[in-house]
Amino acid sequence: EQLTLRETKGVYNTAGIHPWWTEDFTRAEILKLQEHIMLLVREKRLWAIGETGIDRGYPETLEFQTELFHWHRELADDFGLP
């Protein structure tokens, strides 16, 4: 699927991979989402990175959640985004 964002005055876009998605999506699907998010960041179409976090209610994906959390943080740092 294609991820699109409209440019609307006064609307600020954010994108991230919620920790719950680590249970619902495959790693390949998550990788595709990461690629879309990185493209949007490079195109300066995002105001911030998120939602992100670690949800201990899903212990079976805790390691993957941690990987994604660090990826979000590094991406935000690299592009000066909150």
Side-chain angles (χ1 to χ4, degrees):
E1 293 182 35
Q2 184 178 4
L3 183 64
T4 60
L5 298 175
R6 291 189 179 152
E7 291 187 28
T8 305
K9 187 175 182 176
V11 175
Y12 301 94
N13 298 303
T14 68
I17 301 169
H18 194 283
W20 293 354
W21 294 0
T22 58
E23 184 174 80
D24 298 333
F25 292 90
T26 66
R27 280 188 177 260
E29 291 170 322
I30 296 286
L31 179 60
K32 193 84 161 164
L33 287 171
Q34 286 176 296
E35 291 171 2
H36 285 298
I37 291 168
M38 286 188 292
L39 178 64
L40 293 169
V41 168
R42 284 190 207 106
E43 292 176 348
K44 300 183 188 302
R45 298 183 66 202
L46 296 180
W47 181 79
I49 302 298
E51 177 171 349
T52 188
I54 296 172
D55 189 333
R56 295 188 189 280
Y58 296 86
E60 58 281 349
T61 65
L62 195 56
E63 184 178 329
F64 189 27
Q65 291 180 53
T66 303
E67 288 175 32
L68 285 174
F69 178 80
H70 290 295
W71 175 79
H72 282 100
R73 190 194 61 191
E74 290 170 11
L75 183 63
D77 286 347
D78 287 349
F79 286 89
L81 298 171

